Amino acid sequence: MAESRELSRRAFARAKQLIPGGVNSPARAFGGVGGEPIFFERGEGAYLFDLDGNRYLDFIGSWGPMILGHAHPRVTEAVVEAARRGTSFGAPTEAESELSELIVQAVPSIDRVRLVNSGTEATMSAIRLARGFTGREVIVKFAGNYHGHVDSLLVAAGSSAATLAVPNSPGVTRGTTRDTLVLEYNDCAGLSRAFAEHGPRIAAVIVEPVVGNMGCVVPTQAFLRALRNETSKAGALLIFDEVMTGFRVAYGGAQGRFGVSPDLTTLGKIVGGGLPVGAYGGRAEIMDHVLPAGKVFQAGTLSGNPLATAAGIATLRQLRDDPPYERLEQLGARLESGLRDAAQAAGVACCTARVGSMLTLFFHPGPVTDWPSASRCDTGAFARYFWQLIERGVYMPCSQYEALFISAAHTEADIDQTIAAAREALRP
Ligand code: KE4
């Protein structure tokens, strides 16, 4: 049972004097569940420890990167070793080729890859490259899909299906979002209407091949096929944003699991093993348009730096040499059915969605297949469930619209403990 969180409270009060909202990313601010964020001191395996010494089973895993669990010895040693040799040179190192080679070997649709510092940089660069390669301007995205804080993708759907996007953040201009179309996820008819109307102007479609950012929402095979067929037919590029799903739902990502090959892939999170690495990659004929091979500008002081690449290399080697995916599948299925049974026993209208070790318990009778359905979740009920679990030492994602992640460090006993805690948390 979590005891006091007085030191977290004081840390938050201090942080708010220095950092907007006291956090360096809004996802951490507990806006979706109320209350104040918990400040942590360290992580170890499946656990996080807060400033007050409370221990929590962690199902955020830094929003995806920590698939091996916190402070995995192979990753920690690699980072310490690299740091001893210097943290950044601003010049090429072999480690960048080593990490790039691991990515190319894991993802058949990628011949060339450019390393950057975040998922946002990866998606921003991929859509610039798609526009540069095709000479077209329109980008299609889907409501409920998040691709980082890229100005042209910070848009909300308007009223009709193929909607000219409306900026959903101050500072994003209509000019920036003028060439962004927002469609509904899993809506094949809407996709084909948009291509019928705008096809020759569409540079690319960017999509989360499994959505994590409205909670976990699974694509239909028909939708994945339609994405591939419509873009190929129109000469537009298909960009799979696998920042979350890459090396998560399979070693080869969602594209490997579902057997659909995009033209460009964006990566992040796991490829950095908890350090700042993003990447975008695809066929050489496309990627060789990136400066200095081609003319599409993209740059970054710390791109591929020795410390971050060391963490990424150690993580991908561990995943390649000792793949945890079967066990993650079993743990995911165990947790999913346990949460579903707990909700049913409590008479709470819930449904679940899961791919491998990423899953969501939606406070919604279901099914949740797109943003309109996801947006009807009972977020108040979710918030109560979240805090009940915190009091029982279980740290779930602090929003109904985030997926939870199981790591290779979680055990069956951890899952069963979580299910037991959920049974109590959901009891009316
Ligand atoms: P970053 O710039 O945060 O590294 O990646 C942006 C991004 C791009 N694409 C997808 C599919 C993503 O999920 C993300 C970032 N995910 C969020 C959590 N859902 C990161 C958490 C945060 O913003 O603090």
Side-chain angles (χ1 to χ4, degrees):
M1 190 70 90
E3 306 306 325
S4 94
R5 284 189 290 273
E6 178 56 25
L7 294 182
S8 265
R9 202 191 54 71
R10 285 185 211 159
F12 187 47
R14 176 185 179 211
K16 280 191 291 188
Q17 303 306 312
L18 300 159
I19 302 165
V23 292
N24 282 306
S25 192
R28 309 173 196 167
F30 279 25
V33 293
E36 295 190 347
I38 300 169
F39 278 58
F40 291 97
E41 182 164 66
R42 67 186 178 91
E44 193 182 314
Y47 292 95
L48 283 176
F49 298 82
D50 71 15
L51 298 188
D52 296 276
N54 298 304
R55 187 186 80 162
Y56 304 84
L57 255 178
D58 176 28
F59 286 99
I60 295 188
S62 181
W63 303 102
M66 309 320 293
I67 191 168
L68 297 179
H70 293 289
H72 189 285
R74 186 168 178 179
V75 178
T76 307
E77 278 148 33
V79 171
V80 169
E81 197 40 52
R84 287 207 178 92
R85 297 196 299 272
T87 54
S88 184
F89 313 135
T93 64
E94 273 269 79
E96 296 158 77
S97 302
E98 184 59 40
L99 180 54
S100 301
E101 192 168 63
L102 283 161
I103 293 169
V104 165
Q105 287 169 345
V107 187
S109 68
I110 298 180
D111 304 330
R112 295 263 201 290
V113 59
R114 170 57 66 85
L115 302 178
V116 293
N117 300 282
S118 70
T120 296
E121 268 193 78
T123 56
M124 172 176 67
S125 308
I127 59 177
R128 182 182 311 132
L129 171 58
R131 285 170 160 158
F133 176 75
T134 61
R136 300 178 180 181
E137 294 178 355
V138 174
I139 296 288
V140 174
K141 75 164 296 258
F142 297 92
N145 281 213
Y146 174 67
H147 304 290
H149 58 98
V150 186
D151 274 15
S152 60
L153 301 180
L154 285 179
V155 291
S159 52
S160 66
T163 304
L164 278 180
V166 177
N168 68 356
S169 163
V172 175
T173 64
R174 291 193 66 90
T176 314
T177 61
R178 182 188 56 224
D179 294 321
T180 309
L181 280 187
V182 184
L183 305 181
E184 294 303 350
Y185 197 79
N186 275 326
D187 177 5
C188 299
L191 182 70
S192 56
R193 274 198 306 275
F195 269 89
E197 199 175 333
H198 304 280
R201 297 196 304 126
I202 296 176
V205 172
I206 186 167
V207 65
E208 290 188 60
V210 176
V211 185
N213 288 291
M214 40 178 156
C216 180
V217 170
V218 185
T220 61
Q221 276 298 350
F223 182 59
L224 290 174
R225 269 198 311 276
L227 286 166
R228 185 61 282 175
N229 296 340
E230 292 289 355
T231 47
S232 300
K233 229 170 29 180
L237 298 187
L238 177 56
I239 304 172
F240 269 11
D241 178 355
E242 297 227 40
V243 166
M244 191 181 283
T245 55
F247 299 95
R248 166 61 63 181
V249 299
Y251 190 65
Q255 57 194 277
R257 190 174 177 121
F258 293 124
V260 175
S261 249
D263 301 299
L264 288 175
T265 300
T266 56
L267 296 165
K269 297 182 191 279
I270 291 173
V271 291
L275 268 71
V277 176
Y280 63 104
R283 297 193 301 277
E285 65 160 325
I286 303 173
M287 289 302 291
D288 283 347
H289 282 255
V290 179
L291 203 70
K295 295 190 170 55
V296 176
F297 188 81
Q298 183 265 306
T301 305
L302 296 175
S303 296
N305 78 75
L307 227 49
T309 48
I313 291 164
T315 299
L316 296 197
R317 281 178 178 166
Q318 180 63 33
L319 291 170
R320 178 197 62 190
D321 302 345
D322 181 14
Y325 298 100
E326 269 176 45
R327 214 167 82 73
L328 289 174
E329 192 65 40
Q330 289 156 7
L331 293 177
R334 191 184 187 104
L335 180 57
E336 180 182 27
S337 62
L339 291 177
R340 207 173 27 221
D341 295 349
Q344 204 162 22
V348 179
C350 285
C351 67
T352 58
R354 177 178 70 85
V355 178
S357 59
M358 63 188 273
L359 78 96
T360 297
L361 175 70
F362 289 105
F363 284 73
H364 181 297
V368 174
T369 56
D370 54 21
W371 178 243
S373 48
S375 61
R376 287 196 292 274
C377 285
D378 181 346
T379 52
F382 176 84
R384 287 189 295 279
Y385 159 77
F386 172 82
W387 283 108
Q388 285 290 327
L389 284 178
I390 286 286
E391 294 317 315
R392 292 169 174 78
V394 176
Y395 189 53
M396 284 292 178
C398 44
S399 165
Q400 170 70 92
Y401 302 120
E402 295 286 357
L404 73 81
F405 299 101
I406 300 168
S407 81
H410 285 80
T411 63
E412 280 76 6
D414 294 331
I415 299 301
D416 293 347
Q417 176 196 328
T418 303
I419 293 167
R423 281 189 176 284
E424 292 174 13
L426 287 161
R427 213 172 279 147

